[in-house]
Amino acid sequence: MKSIRKIASMAVLGVATFAYAGTALAQTELDFWSWRQEDVKAYNEIIAAFEEQNPDIKVTFTAHEATSYNTILTTALAGGAGPDIMHTRSYGSLEAIAAPGYLEPLDGQIDLSALSADELLGTTLRADGHVYAVPFASQTIVVFYNKDLFEEHDVALPETWDEFLAASQKFKDAGVIPLANGLADAWTMEIMSGAFLPNFYGKDFFGEVTSGATDFEDERFVNALEKFSTLKEFMPQGYEGVDYATMKQLFNVGQAAMFVGGSFDIPTFVNAGVNFDIMPGPAAEAGGPRMVATWLDGGYGVNAASENKEAALKFIQFTATQPFAQMLTDKLANVPAVDGAEISDPMLAKVSAMHEEATPYIMLVAFRFNTPTGSTLLQNGLQELFTGKKSAEEVAADISEGIKSAE
Amino acid sequence: MAQLTKSIKTPFDNAVVRRRQMRKLWLAFLLFPAMAILLTFVFLPMASAIWYSVYEWDGLVRGEFIGLGNFQEVLFDPRNNKFLINAFFNNVKVFIALMVFQNGLALILALFLAREPKGYRFYQIAFFLPVILSTVIIGFQWKLFLNPIFGLVNTLLRNVGLGDWAVPWLGLPETALGAMILVNAWHWVGFPTLVFLAAIHRIPKDLIEAARLDGASEWMIARDIIWPLMAPAVTIIVVLTFIGSFNWFEIPYIMGGLEGSPSYSTDMLGLLFYRTAFGSVSAGNSDFGTGSALAVLIFIFIFTFSTIATRYLTSREVELS
Amino acid sequence: MATIELRDVTKDFGGVQVIHGANLSVQDNEFVVFVGPSGCGKSTLLRLLSGLEELSSGEIYIDGERIDHLPPARRGLAMVFQSYALYPHMNVLQNMSYALKVAKKSKQEIEEKVHAAAEILQLTELLDRKPKALSGGQRQRVAIGRAIVRDPSVFLFDEPLSNLDAKLRVQMRLELTNLHKQLQSTMIYVTHDQVEAMTMADKIVVMRAGNIEQVGPPLELFNKPANKFVAGFIGSPAMNFFHGQVVGVNNATYEVKLENGAQFTFTAQNSNLAEGDEVDLGVRPEDLQPGTGGHGTMAGTATAVERLGAQTYVYLRSPIEESMIIHHAGDLDVQSGEQIDVSFDLKSCHLFGPDEQRIEFEG
Ligand SMILES: Nc1ncnc2c1ncn2[C@@H]1O[C@H](COP(=O)(O)OP(=O)(O)OP(=O)(O)O)[C@@H](O)[C@H]1O
Ligand SMILES: [Mg+2]
């Protein structure tokens, strides 16, 4: 039962501590912060490649705990400190540090020609139109499936919603959990919705709802929620209490036939040795589109208060080039945002190919700028929908109202 | 007369004065570390929270002075106060439930242990052991135990034929908070037990024997003699439970996440504060202003009520002569 | 209002026996005092009676009814603790009425009884005070009052006056004696105080190490102690003992030589003393006379003299390192370090055989 005061004091202390960071030597030293604790080794290799070409620059990579990274970073920046270069999140979270002027605008200072306008959107501040970070990788929502189980139970790969339900029923009858997903970690529900909702609400909805032409009480969205909610009978028994770790475990050990997750889950299942493949979510009707929801994971930014801005920009320029993108996909199994990389990993190549029919991961891309965020509203709404506490109409109305109330 | 005696200073008086000064110095010396810690870790953050709370914040940049604007936003903006009210009543539920289940059980255990049944030393240690474990470990451990599929609890229920009871405890809005409260009770019950037991042991045996001779049953002895005489311990436990309940953070954070999953049924003031002040991956950006205002309000509430409660509860205490 | 009967009562705590088969009869309306050295089992015996401890074996009867299996409250006795054991959170009125409340007596009855008891004990003014605001003597009276209201057939007191100062003790002693007369109930009273025992008791029970050594009226115990222990325990200052040996036996006539040289003969009809047997001669300090004469004379050096005017105590040490005390009525001009003779008269002496039991004899 730690007191709130303690947390507040931590914040104050943090500010004080970070006030004395970073000193310059003959060799320019750059601090590089990230939340990717699992990627430290790969980043050090990438950095080594950079340092070979730039012997006058030394980069130190520090990875913080992922869930508290935003807090740590923003607290440091607010105190006028922080690293020279940093991993930033995208969209709303980027705005939180770009808007107060903590980040150096990059357009005009470095060459961003290897990035598409779509990708740059995730690191552009809407207010001034400047780019504040080099996008590094995109994430994609896919349906993982266990090839052995599909074969063993003689289930054909579903392409439409009806086929998806039929396949799930077949697994259920055979005593296999059709879908590993659960409700306990609310963000996994938002992810899961990304595989199903877009194909129901269609291609145009995103543009209309972001422009204000319609809202979330739109019939298409309500219908999508309605359909989506029928999946609860194919989720594990006690799915209300199944968290992310349990979901992965169910899929890892072959108790569940499918797992709806992000492309970031690929390494986990590869490492676990599951014989799996991925597919996009089902089409609403035969012949309909099978869109995948994608979003930009984040980017690399420069601290506007850095004393080594020149060196920092040099490194950031490096991240916007093809050789960097190549290393990113080779060493970290990412789908890089920068064009021109050869994706050797077959699974990633598949993800990349799915981008042919991509749709923005709606709440993260468009509604995470204000409070309450679309993600919070959708996650909570989905929990209520799947526990039967509220109907699709009610959930849609809550989301719509919440979005409208956000400043 | 009084003036007269006062004006005459004897060597004895001087010695007394010197001794008093020494005493004061000693007190200051002994109090210094505690005061320094209090200043750095309590008053300073408190002051900064109050300071922060009266400014507009754009993310992390301090804007202009807006007086009580943040407080107004926390208390009266329907987007915020919906969460505030929900979290507040969840904290109230936690307090009541902990009073009844955790402290009630502790009282029963203490009364049981006070009779020194066979092997009571073992029980005493067994009940107290979880208290020394870290909350984080206990939170994760119980999250595993309560896992709907692999968890120990549901496995046991199914094995004893109570499969219908094997619900996803942490996944249902009806059971999640209760499960967390029970985990907290499991973790902490040893502490009030020990405090109560010490209080019972402090009651002279004669009093209990006198009551027994007066014809009181065991229940009457507990109600009429032991209970009133352990009032100081009850005061301490009630106030600590109150503060703990309204600052409850670790267990709900670990077991239900920052958003009080499922559906805010385990949301607490502490979680709400954390989300508001520091933001979260999905809940959005940090807002030091409203966050600090919330922290100040929580502090004022806890401070006021624990002071009133302490006053009231202390008034019913008696010294054991 | 009640008779008490203990039969072969034993008690052990975790295998250690502390009461070894006590037998005792207490008459109706009797005031019985338990005395004995610390740790001899007085409190334990009282607690066994009250039901706060369970018997290990034996039986207890009150008014002929066996009560040792009954819970404390149903034995019809009340106990007053040395510590008073007043409920600190209740005022005097509540303290005194608690037992009646527990017994579900009517409000009116409670009121009447408490006020009657308060009247007797002069507590009426203090009824709404908490124990903390009372003096020691007042607390003692409340403790007694708490016992009285229950109309017990037997009162048990465990050293009730030992926390009071000397003056208050004398006063409370008299009050208790009066109370006993007034209430006409059986009382059992534990004390360390000789004077309390001698003045209050109808009957004294002397205990030693878990055994009852002798039971009887105070003066009987004083005049005819059944054994050397009782003889030494009752009376203050304690009896002087002189060790000796039987040196001659002739029919019922015996000759004894004490270690300090005194020699005397006596006749005892029912004695089986033999030559060589060790005996003790007991002489109370007031029966030792300064000067020679009587049935024997011994010498000693005064090590301390207490001259109080009306009486004089002389502490003597004999050449064989025996110590003795003389209690002389009136003044006696003896200086410390002075050598004096003392003599005794066999008529006022007590004789104890090798088994330390009393021997009846004629000088
Ligand atoms: N609960 C107990 N457990 C073990 N031994 C006990 C217990 N109560 C008393 N005794 C032992 O029994 C013996 C008698 O104790 P008791 O208190 O009856 O003595 P007492 O005659 O009242 O002494 P005092 O004059 O000091 O009050 C002692 O040796 C004591 O140590
Ligand atoms: Mg005793």
Side-chain angles (χ1 to χ4, degrees):
Chain A
M1 295 189 219
K2 209 176 279 172
S3 76
I4 287 160
R5 266 172 279 146
K6 220 182 242 171
I7 295 167
S9 74
M10 271 161 50
V12 172
L13 220 72
V15 172
T17 315
F18 289 119
Y20 304 91
T23 42
L25 292 169
Q27 197 185 29
T28 312
E29 288 199 29
L30 295 178
D31 267 332
F32 180 4
W33 283 9
S34 169
W35 72 86
R36 303 290 307 169
Q37 284 174 320
E38 51 275 68
D39 296 348
V40 175
K41 187 167 161 283
Y43 268 105
N44 282 333
E45 288 167 15
I46 294 174
I47 286 168
F50 171 77
E51 286 172 346
E52 212 167 291
Q53 288 169 19
N54 301 279
D56 55 328
I57 301 174
K58 181 165 177 2
V59 181
T60 313
F61 183 82
T62 312
H64 297 275
E65 211 261 309
T67 49
S68 47
Y69 179 67
N70 278 11
T71 310
I72 294 171
L73 181 65
T74 49
T75 315
L77 289 174
D84 301 293
I85 39 186
M86 71 206 85
H87 239 138
T88 69
R89 310 260 186 194
S90 47
Y91 309 107
S93 297
L94 179 87
E95 291 217 339
I97 52 173
Y102 297 137
L103 294 182
E104 185 73 11
L106 300 178
D107 42 328
Q109 301 209 61
I110 65 165
D111 176 10
L112 295 166
S113 59
L115 289 140
S116 73
D118 251 12
E119 278 153 342
L120 287 174
L121 213 60
T123 55
T124 302
L125 182 62
R126 294 172 307 164
D128 64 8
H130 285 300
V131 174
Y132 283 92
V134 172
F136 78 98
S138 66
Q139 298 292 354
T140 309
I141 294 170
V142 295
V143 180
F144 295 79
Y145 63 93
N146 184 317
K147 289 204 281 195
D148 294 342
L149 286 174
F150 269 75
E151 201 164 305
E152 186 187 327
H153 297 281
D154 196 21
V155 181
L157 273 191
E159 293 187 357
T160 66
W161 176 246
D162 289 338
E163 286 171 17
F164 190 87
L165 294 182
S168 298
Q169 189 62 50
K170 206 162 175 188
F171 278 120
K172 195 178 178 184
D173 294 343
V176 175
I177 300 168
L179 272 166
N181 293 62
L183 294 195
D185 287 321
W187 64 270
T188 68
M189 280 307 292
E190 187 185 358
I191 295 270
M192 184 177 167
S193 75
F196 298 96
L197 297 183
N199 291 329
F200 283 114
Y201 60 61
K203 265 195 166 71
D204 307 326
F205 181 72
F206 180 80
E208 288 172 33
V209 78
T210 48
S211 71
T214 186
D215 60 18
F216 282 98
E217 286 183 89
D218 191 297
E219 204 182 315
R220 285 169 289 177
F221 190 72
V222 175
N223 174 52
L225 285 178
E226 188 84 61
K227 287 267 165 49
F228 179 43
S229 72
T230 58
L231 287 181
K232 67 179 168 211
E233 60 178 298
F234 299 120
M235 287 156 74
Q237 200 199 356
Y239 63 92
E240 299 97 326
V242 169
D243 60 2
Y244 182 49
T246 310
M247 287 160 52
K248 286 194 288 191
Q249 198 172 349
L250 286 173
F251 190 70
N252 274 340
V253 299
Q255 283 193 31
M258 291 181 278
F259 174 101
V260 184
S263 42
F264 52 82
D265 287 314
I266 292 174
T268 312
F269 297 138
V270 172
N271 292 338
V274 188
N275 184 17
F276 74 97
D277 205 340
I278 56 175
M279 59 179 171
E285 274 142 26
R290 298 182 72 184
M291 297 186 285
V292 291
T294 66
W295 73 94
L296 178 70
D297 210 9
Y300 305 106
V302 174
N303 187 346
S306 167
E307 285 170 12
N308 310 308
K309 226 179 260 176
E310 202 179 317
L313 282 169
K314 225 176 198 173
F315 184 83
I316 294 301
Q317 177 66 70
F318 170 62
T319 65
T321 59
Q322 187 274 339
F324 179 83
Q326 192 63 50
M327 284 190 274
L328 202 63
T329 181
D330 290 348
K331 294 183 191 298
L332 288 169
N334 274 315
V335 179
V338 175
D339 296 336
E342 196 73 40
I343 299 180
S344 53
D345 182 279
M347 206 58 77
L348 280 187
K350 223 173 213 179
V351 172
S352 184
M354 286 180 198
H355 285 193
E356 291 300 311
E357 271 191 299
T359 179
Y361 184 42
I362 187 163
M363 294 305 188
L364 171 55
V365 172
F367 297 101
R368 261 199 208 178
F369 296 95
N370 299 315
T371 316
T373 65
S375 292
T376 316
L377 294 166
L378 178 61
Q379 289 174 14
N380 180 51
L382 290 175
Q383 277 191 335
E384 290 174 328
L385 183 64
F386 275 68
T387 50
K389 221 174 132 186
K390 284 191 177 163
S391 69
E393 283 86 9
E394 288 169 320
V395 168
D398 285 350
I399 294 173
S400 178
E401 193 189 320
I403 295 279
K404 282 174 189 162
S405 78
E407 311 138 295
Chain B
M1 261 303 262
Q3 267 174 351
L4 204 82
T5 42
K6 231 180 201 173
S7 62
I8 304 168
K9 273 238 161 113
T10 65
F12 173 75
D13 286 336
N14 282 329
V16 168
V17 168
R18 223 176 304 128
R19 212 174 308 141
R20 276 205 200 121
Q21 275 168 348
M22 272 306 283
R23 212 178 108 82
K24 272 189 194 151
L25 271 176
W26 252 112
L27 274 176
F29 173 72
L30 291 175
L31 280 174
F32 178 74
M35 288 309 289
I37 289 172
L38 212 63
L39 195 71
T40 328
F41 294 101
V42 180
F43 294 133
L44 229 62
M46 267 301 302
S48 67
I50 294 172
W51 171 251
Y52 287 175
S53 68
V54 291
Y55 283 90
E56 169 90 65
W57 288 78
D58 182 18
L60 296 157
V61 193
R62 205 181 73 212
E64 55 190 294
F65 178 83
I66 51 164
L68 296 178
N70 287 320
F71 291 90
Q72 195 173 349
E73 201 174 308
V74 169
L75 287 171
F76 303 114
D77 185 329
R79 277 173 300 154
N80 294 317
N81 75 3
K82 178 175 82 186
F83 290 107
L84 182 69
I85 292 166
N86 172 58
F88 175 78
F89 281 105
N90 280 339
N91 283 111
V92 171
K93 278 185 216 166
V94 170
F95 173 62
I96 294 172
L98 289 181
M99 281 303 297
V100 173
F101 294 107
Q102 177 175 301
N103 298 340
L105 179 65
L107 184 61
I108 292 169
L109 289 178
L111 287 169
F112 163 75
L113 289 175
R115 323 190 68 189
E116 311 197 347
K118 241 195 171 124
Y120 80 101
R121 275 193 188 285
F122 166 78
Y123 292 123
Q124 205 171 322
I125 292 167
F127 296 143
F128 193 73
L129 211 57
V131 173
I132 63 172
L133 295 178
S134 114
T135 311
V136 178
I137 291 173
I138 283 181
F140 277 113
Q141 200 59 49
W142 274 96
K143 201 176 167 185
L144 287 182
F145 286 164
L146 291 168
N147 185 298
I149 296 171
F150 310 111
L152 186 71
V153 174
N154 282 1
T155 310
L156 280 176
L157 285 173
R158 284 191 208 103
N159 287 349
V160 298
L162 289 172
D164 287 351
W165 291 34
V167 300
W169 301 101
L170 295 175
L172 299 178
E174 299 80 31
T175 54
L177 185 57
M180 290 180 196
I181 289 169
L182 288 183
V183 169
N184 193 83
W186 178 85
H187 182 190
W188 280 104
V189 70
F191 180 71
T193 304
L194 216 65
V195 173
F196 289 155
L197 189 59
I200 295 173
H201 278 319
R202 252 173 51 93
I203 300 172
K205 246 185 156 160
D206 284 358
L207 289 184
I208 303 200
E209 290 181 340
R212 198 161 286 152
L213 283 170
D214 273 348
S217 62
E218 292 305 305
W219 155 244
M220 289 178 194
I221 291 173
R223 184 193 63 188
D224 298 340
I225 312 296
I226 295 177
W227 172 251
L229 293 181
M230 58 193 282
V234 174
T235 305
I236 292 168
I237 292 301
V238 169
V239 172
L240 284 183
T241 306
F242 177 79
I243 295 173
S245 302
F246 280 87
N247 279 338
W248 211 35
F249 184 82
E250 277 114 321
I251 289 280
Y253 176 63
I254 291 161
M255 301 183 74
L258 213 42
E259 319 266 332
S261 180
S263 313
Y264 297 105
S265 61
T266 62
D267 200 13
M268 297 291 138
L269 290 174
L271 297 175
L272 179 62
F273 160 75
Y274 191 95
R275 282 205 309 273
T276 315
F278 299 113
S280 77
V281 178
S282 46
N285 306 322
S286 67
D287 183 345
F288 277 13
T290 42
S292 301
L294 185 54
V296 171
L297 287 173
I298 296 172
F299 174 78
I300 291 173
F301 172 76
I302 293 177
F303 182 80
T304 312
F305 271 76
S306 10
T307 311
I308 294 172
T310 311
R311 283 270 167 82
Y312 169 72
L313 291 170
T314 312
S315 70
R316 59 172 215 113
E317 291 172 10
V318 266
E319 267 171 57
L320 295 172
S321 52
Chain C
M1 285 181 290
T3 62
I4 304 171
E5 179 98 23
L6 269 63
R7 286 193 203 150
D8 299 325
V9 168
T10 71
K11 174 68 185 172
D12 48 60
F13 288 111
V16 182
Q17 200 171 58
V18 298
I19 302 288
H20 316 284
N23 287 289
L24 181 70
S25 300
V26 176
Q27 302 307 310
D28 187 14
N29 194 20
E30 216 169 10
F31 197 113
V32 178
V33 173
F34 286 4
V35 292
S38 191
C40 69
K42 306 179 293 290
S43 296
T44 305
L45 207 53
L46 219 55
R47 294 166 60 80
L48 288 170
L49 258 169
S50 71
L52 290 174
E53 300 283 358
E54 272 181 45
L55 304 194
S56 296
S57 71
E59 291 151 24
I60 301 177
Y61 296 84
I62 291 183
D63 281 337
E65 226 176 291
R66 188 163 171 191
I67 52 98
D68 50 67
H69 57 282
L70 292 178
R74 301 216 359 239
R75 298 188 180 192
L77 19 81
M79 183 152 162
V80 175
F81 293 80
Q82 179 178 2
S83 65
Y84 318 135
L86 300 182
Y87 310 128
H89 56 299
M90 300 184 191
N91 63 25
V92 172
L93 180 73
Q94 290 163 328
N95 261 288
M96 284 170 58
S97 49
Y98 185 66
L100 300 174
K101 248 189 215 147
V102 165
K104 300 227 161 64
K105 297 281 195 247
S106 75
K107 254 205 172 122
Q108 197 194 338
E109 188 181 348
I110 295 178
E111 182 117 328
E112 275 169 19
K113 283 202 166 150
V114 171
H115 279 98
E119 199 73 35
I120 297 174
L121 297 164
Q122 296 155 32
L123 288 170
T124 317
E125 307 289 300
L126 307 173
L127 281 179
D128 52 7
R129 289 220 202 149
K130 291 260 173 74
K132 226 182 84 172
L134 299 176
S135 73
Q138 289 166 336
R139 288 182 206 187
Q140 185 58 65
R141 281 206 286 267
V142 177
I144 295 168
R146 200 168 61 176
I148 290 177
V149 292
R150 291 178 48 207
D151 272 341
S153 48
V154 181
F155 282 91
L156 306 174
F157 295 91
D158 195 352
E159 305 191 34
L161 306 185
S162 58
N163 283 348
L164 303 180
D165 67 43
K167 210 170 150 194
L168 206 50
R169 212 142 78 196
V170 174
Q171 185 194 334
M172 287 302 295
R173 193 169 80 205
L174 292 173
E175 285 183 23
L176 271 175
T177 313
N178 284 334
L179 194 70
H180 178 231
K181 285 194 191 117
Q182 213 171 331
L183 295 175
Q184 298 283 313
S185 56
T186 310
M187 289 188 176
I188 297 183
Y189 188 102
V190 173
T191 184
H192 274 126
D193 187 312
Q194 288 271 340
V195 184
E196 277 174 35
M198 297 303 283
T199 54
M200 297 170 88
D202 295 322
K203 190 153 96 185
I204 293 180
V205 176
V206 183
M207 292 183 67
R208 171 167 64 158
N211 289 308
I212 294 179
E213 295 286 325
Q214 189 175 3
V215 179
L219 284 179
E220 184 184 315
L221 262 60
F222 185 82
N223 292 327
K224 294 196 162 183
N227 54 41
K228 190 182 167 193
F229 173 77
V230 175
F233 194 80
I234 300 285
S236 173
M239 187 182 275
N240 298 301
F241 290 107
F242 303 101
H243 203 61
Q245 223 174 15
V246 179
V247 292
V249 181
N250 187 0
N251 279 336
T253 306
Y254 303 88
E255 184 160 18
V256 166
K257 185 171 192 218
L258 298 181
E259 281 175 357
N260 58 24
Q263 202 158 343
F264 56 90
T265 54
F266 61 90
T267 57
Q269 297 308 326
N270 302 318
S271 159
N272 44 8
L273 285 174
E275 203 167 319
D277 278 353
E278 312 257 322
V279 294
D280 285 292
L281 183 73
V283 193
R284 295 206 179 272
E286 51 273 26
D287 297 329
L288 274 180
Q289 307 298 333
T292 54
H295 291 92
T297 303
M298 35 220 153
T301 313
T303 55
V305 184
E306 291 171 356
R307 293 170 69 177
L308 303 177
Q311 50 202 325
T312 309
Y313 297 96
V314 184
Y315 298 81
L316 293 171
R317 186 166 289 284
S318 77
I320 59 152
E321 294 297 304
E322 267 177 338
S323 62
M324 48 189 151
I325 305 173
I326 311 173
H327 176 199
H328 182 77
D331 191 27
L332 190 64
D333 185 12
V334 178
Q335 302 302 317
S336 183
E338 205 175 307
Q339 174 113 10
I340 59 169
D341 289 330
V342 290
S343 57
F344 58 86
D345 191 335
L346 266 186
K347 267 193 214 89
S348 52
C349 288
H350 309 263
L351 195 65
F352 304 99
D355 56 358
E356 301 200 340
Q357 294 305 308
R358 177 183 188 84
I359 297 169
E360 291 295 343
F361 71 95
E362 277 156 42

